[in-house]
Amino acid sequence: MKNIYTQMISRLILFVSVITVITGLGQRAFAQAESPKEDDFFKIMKVPAPEGTILEVGGLCTLPNGSLAVTTRRGDIFIVENPTSQHPFFRKFASGLHEVLGAAYKDGALYVVQRGELTKLVDTNMDGKADVFETVYAWPLSGNYHEYSFGPKIAPDGSFFVTLNLGFPPDWWHPKSMVPYRGWALNIKEDGTVTPWAAGFRSPCGISMIDGELWYSDNQGDWVGSGSIMPVKKGGFMGNPASLVWTGLPNSPLTLTQEKFFATNNPRIEFDKNGQPFKPQNIVNEKFKTEFEAKKEIPELQLPAVWLPHGILGISNSEIVKIPEGAFGPFSGQLLVCDQGQSMVDRVFLEKINGEYQGAAWAFRSGFQSGIVRLAWLPDGSLVAGETNRGWGSAGEATMGLQRLIWNNHIPFEMRAIRAQPDGFEIEFTKPVDRKVAEDIASYSVESYIYKYHGVYGSPPVNTEKCAITGVKVSADGMKARIVVSNLRRYYIHTITLDGVRDKENYFNLVHPTAYYTLNNIPEGKKLSMSEVSTKNSVKAVAVKPGAVKGTAKAAAAAPAKALTYEDVKPLLARNTCSSCHNPNAKQVGPAFKDIAKRNYSVAQIMALIKNPKPEHWPDYSTPMPPMPQVSEPDARKIATWIRSLK
């Protein structure tokens, strides 16, 4: 009997051992499907507002007592007490203002930007409502709907910065600065003294003060190939020439004129009586192909510190905030940028090379209920997002509201930072990597591209090239990987993808395996020798016999044309930024492709509408589609053919 029990126990131990081995081997096979996502670390929670409250948020400001000031596009100001509780209390602080798109607190007063002025609000009798409304400074208005005003942000000396949006005349795809100082940043002191600070802004919604420096984000459009973030220096020209008509006014820090800009760039431009270019189609054959080429002749031009690729990291970038110490774990000290159109938040790591900012950007958290215009930190370390989409179409099921982003104290497996090296990039992780896959150069891929600098609305990625990876060196602790990359290009966006890298503990994928590094400068220093790096490459080229290639070509020529699928056109839709506003089956910023197909347009008609859209065909959509003349004829034809096939 004893021997029988011994045999049974031995077999059980053997069985458990086999299962353990199988489980250990299988863990890696199944890890990819089980890898955590954004929602496993950063939760989105709604801040409930009283029924009937219209929260088309334009501004957010955390007050010293932990309450939250919320301003709205409808002209109301609420003070939200206990904003992190399940039942926050909303107190109306003021109403009847004009489109309040920003707020800041200073010395017991709330300062807000209305459409036409910077206003100081004070509650002198302490009844919870503002009873003093003081105009600090008022700027001109033409009455154009697009003349939004943003800010204020408080400078280290206590003064205020505001940015003023350009106007958009009816049936005109180029914005205009119809009154001073539209398209400018202004510095305003408490006594109303105003200093024009910088020009060249288009739609500067994302004005921010980061470590005592003024920053902003802009929206894609004419002379703005894609969204980006930039520091704003006094006398800087941010790229859009419409506001240069006012550089001759007193106290202007710029001498660059619009005429000089166009004479340098395109001698054949035609102007109207106000010094504005006539029509979009007149702005052709620009001399400059990229912004860094333009900067050689226009030294005032400020280049983006970090590009935010259009349709990937948003379509309408807005507020920039710095992650405070202790918040969001390994990302403390980095920047977050929200996006109105795609209802998402990006993450940015900055570094300075040769005195200039540059760095990497990643997607961080998507899935918010509406377009995010403003961000603010609450005392508990959560991030509150202010949302609206009226007139500004956005992803999400809601039209407005407040939501909080909360970290659950679990560290995601991510690229924490990317730093430029003389021969490539050093990638720092939040967790140690599995050395076997991290030392395989097949786990990495890099390519670079840039955007056009021209008067057409936006730009597709251009001059795309692959960058070969010739070696990788993983640090002893597994927290860093330095990749040796050929064909680095200054000023270009380098797309760095780590599809093959896994973490050591769980063999999980990166939550976000792709980063976008803007390489404004390549640092000097020691390059790695080939004896210091791993050159292992698990992907081997497969040789193809000449006869097989010939036969394959003949077979392809004889085969009938295959119907295009979504997977076939998906890269074209991404490259031409179509997918940033359109979804195959669901309404997004624009109509679904299947709904376009129902209109029974011909292929030729769809191609024409890509180049010259007819917003009047879609009156239920608040954001009109801009002309897309940069889409190539082959791409437009394939996209149009696929759309038509959906009917």
Side-chain angles (χ1 to χ4, degrees):
M1 182 69 71
K2 182 178 180 180
N3 289 339
I4 293 175
Y5 285 136
T6 301
Q7 291 175 7
M8 290 176 64
I9 292 171
S10 298
R11 289 173 182 173
L12 180 61
I13 292 172
L14 177 62
F15 175 75
V16 171
S17 299
V18 171
I19 292 298
T20 301
V21 172
I22 292 174
T23 303
L25 293 173
Q27 180 183 14
R28 297 193 173 193
F30 291 105
Q32 187 166 355
E34 299 170 352
S35 291
K37 306 300 181 186
E38 295 174 346
D39 186 55
D40 294 306
F41 306 97
F42 294 94
K43 300 292 184 181
I44 298 174
M45 295 185 65
K46 189 173 183 179
V47 179
E51 187 176 350
T53 304
I54 301 176
L55 279 183
E56 295 178 343
V57 179
L60 295 175
C61 175
T62 303
L63 304 179
N65 66 357
S67 295
L68 181 69
V70 180
T71 73
T72 78
R73 298 171 63 195
R74 302 281 179 128
D76 295 322
I77 301 177
F78 296 91
I79 304 299
V80 184
E81 299 174 7
N82 299 316
T84 60
S85 70
Q86 292 183 347
H87 303 287
F89 177 72
F90 280 69
R91 168 167 46 90
K92 185 170 283 190
F93 184 69
S95 61
L97 288 84
H98 190 180
E99 195 174 53
V100 192
L101 296 182
Y105 177 87
K106 176 187 171 185
D107 299 333
L110 191 66
Y111 292 82
V112 302
V113 163
Q114 300 188 67
R115 177 165 279 247
E117 68 171 58
L118 172 63
T119 311
K120 178 180 180 180
L121 287 76
V122 185
D123 175 13
T124 60
N125 61 7
M126 305 301 290
D127 68 348
K129 298 180 181 180
D131 48 60
V132 172
F133 296 76
E134 178 185 334
T135 298
V136 180
Y137 178 75
W139 43 82
L141 291 172
S142 74
N144 183 269
Y145 82 101
H146 211 270
E147 288 182 344
Y148 307 114
S149 302
F150 307 109
K153 295 299 176 182
I154 301 176
D157 66 357
S159 62
F160 304 93
F161 279 102
V162 302
T163 53
L164 307 181
N165 214 103
L166 294 172
F168 273 75
D171 302 320
W172 187 273
W173 282 110
H174 276 275
K176 298 179 72 172
S177 185
M178 293 177 276
V179 292
Y181 281 97
R182 285 286 151 188
W184 286 68
L186 303 179
N187 179 249
I188 306 171
K189 296 190 181 300
E190 184 83 34
D191 62 4
T193 303
V194 176
T195 302
W197 197 260
F201 300 86
R202 181 183 178 275
S203 188
C205 179
I207 178 174
S208 299
M209 190 65 64
I210 307 294
D211 295 332
E213 289 185 271
L214 183 65
W215 285 74
Y216 97 109
S217 65
D218 214 328
N219 289 189
Q220 186 195 61
D222 56 315
W223 306 102
V224 183
S226 179
S228 68
I229 63 171
M230 303 187 204
V232 183
K233 301 173 183 177
K234 188 175 183 179
F237 170 56
M238 314 314 290
N240 190 293
S243 58
L244 294 178
V245 294
W246 309 114
T247 55
L249 293 181
N251 300 322
S252 169
L254 286 92
T255 58
L256 177 66
T257 64
Q258 195 180 70
E259 290 79 6
K260 180 181 177 182
F261 174 88
F262 283 115
T264 304
N265 193 24
N266 184 351
R268 297 193 301 115
I269 199 71
E270 297 179 24
F271 296 90
D272 64 17
K273 63 181 180 180
N274 296 316
Q276 297 283 352
F278 269 117
K279 291 289 183 181
Q281 58 266 31
N282 289 67
I283 303 182
V284 294
N285 301 324
E286 290 95 348
K287 176 181 176 182
F288 305 133
K289 302 303 181 186
T290 63
E291 284 183 270
F292 63 83
E293 291 175 303
K295 188 172 177 63
K296 295 175 184 176
E297 297 188 43
I298 305 175
E300 303 96 326
L301 179 61
Q302 173 67 53
L303 302 180
V306 177
W307 287 99
L308 302 172
H310 188 79
I312 300 171
L313 298 183
I315 60 174
S316 304
N317 305 120
S318 45
E319 186 91 87
I320 311 165
V321 296
K322 182 178 180 179
I323 303 174
E325 188 69 31
F328 285 16
F331 309 120
S332 174
Q334 298 186 14
L335 305 184
L336 297 178
V337 186
C338 59
D339 184 75
Q340 194 278 326
Q342 290 191 312
S343 307
M344 66 183 295
V345 175
D346 304 326
R347 175 170 62 92
V348 173
F349 169 80
L350 283 177
E351 62 175 344
K352 256 188 177 180
I353 304 295
N354 298 340
E356 289 186 278
Y357 286 108
Q358 60 187 48
W362 298 261
F364 185 69
R365 188 63 166 95
S366 58
F368 288 85
Q369 65 183 1
S370 188
I372 310 174
V373 178
R374 294 287 173 256
L375 298 172
W377 293 99
L378 295 176
D380 69 344
S382 64
L383 181 69
V384 63
E387 302 158 336
T388 178
N389 81 351
R390 175 175 55 88
W392 308 332
S394 68
E397 74 283 359
T399 60
M400 58 185 174
L402 283 171
Q403 290 184 295
R404 286 197 300 140
L405 188 63
I406 303 170
W407 179 47
N408 64 7
N409 292 310
H410 296 293
I411 296 177
F413 179 46
E414 293 273 35
M415 290 179 263
R416 197 192 82 81
I418 298 179
R419 299 175 179 89
Q421 301 295 321
D423 52 359
F425 300 96
E426 179 188 75
I427 304 165
E428 180 184 352
F429 300 96
T430 58
K431 293 182 176 182
V433 295
D434 180 273
R435 184 171 294 276
K436 182 177 180 180
V437 291
E439 290 183 339
D440 184 350
I441 62 177
S443 295
Y444 309 83
S445 65
V446 179
E447 69 176 22
S448 62
Y449 67 90
I450 195 60
Y451 294 105
K452 293 181 179 180
Y453 182 54
H454 59 179
V456 174
Y457 194 104
S459 168
V462 296
N463 300 341
T464 301
E465 291 184 8
K466 296 286 186 182
C467 305
I469 300 170
T470 57
V472 57
K473 181 179 181 180
V474 179
S475 63
D477 60 3
M479 295 295 286
K480 294 180 180 178
R482 182 168 168 179
I483 54 175
V484 180
V485 181
S486 61
N487 195 28
L488 294 176
R489 293 193 286 176
R490 188 182 180 193
Y491 299 120
Y492 277 67
I493 304 159
H494 288 69
T495 303
I496 303 171
T497 302
L498 278 61
D499 278 336
V501 174
R502 306 286 186 267
D503 83 280
K504 180 180 179 180
E505 182 181 4
N506 298 304
Y507 207 68
F508 285 148
N509 297 328
L510 289 153
V511 177
H512 297 100
T514 301
Y516 302 87
Y517 190 99
T518 303
L519 189 66
N520 288 328
N521 285 289
I522 301 173
E524 298 180 355
K526 181 179 179 296
K527 298 182 179 181
L528 293 176
S529 67
M530 296 310 292
S531 62
E532 298 178 85
V533 301
S534 167
T535 58
K536 171 190 171 184
N537 187 351
S538 61
V539 176
K540 303 296 182 182
V542 179
V544 181
K545 296 180 180 180
V549 173
K550 185 176 180 181
T552 301
K554 285 183 178 180
K562 181 172 71 80
L564 291 168
T565 67
Y566 176 58
E567 292 304 317
D568 293 329
V569 299
K570 190 174 181 180
L572 305 183
L573 299 173
R575 182 170 70 229
N576 292 293
T577 70
C578 309
S579 52
S580 62
C581 293
H582 300 280
N583 181 282
N585 299 306
K587 174 182 177 180
Q588 200 164 289
V589 177
F593 288 120
K594 70 174 185 179
D595 291 331
I596 298 172
K598 291 177 182 177
R599 297 293 180 93
N600 204 30
Y601 297 123
S602 67
V603 169
Q605 286 175 316
I606 297 174
M607 292 176 66
L609 289 169
I610 291 173
K611 305 286 185 178
N612 293 291
K614 302 294 184 185
E616 62 270 21
H617 290 186
W618 302 91
D620 295 335
Y621 290 82
S622 56
T623 302
M625 176 178 165
M628 304 289 283
Q630 71 271 21
V631 181
S632 69
E633 194 275 341
D635 282 4
R637 184 171 297 280
K638 287 182 180 178
I639 292 169
T641 301
W642 171 73
I643 291 174
R644 182 167 170 77
S645 73
L646 299 179
K647 75 183 181 64

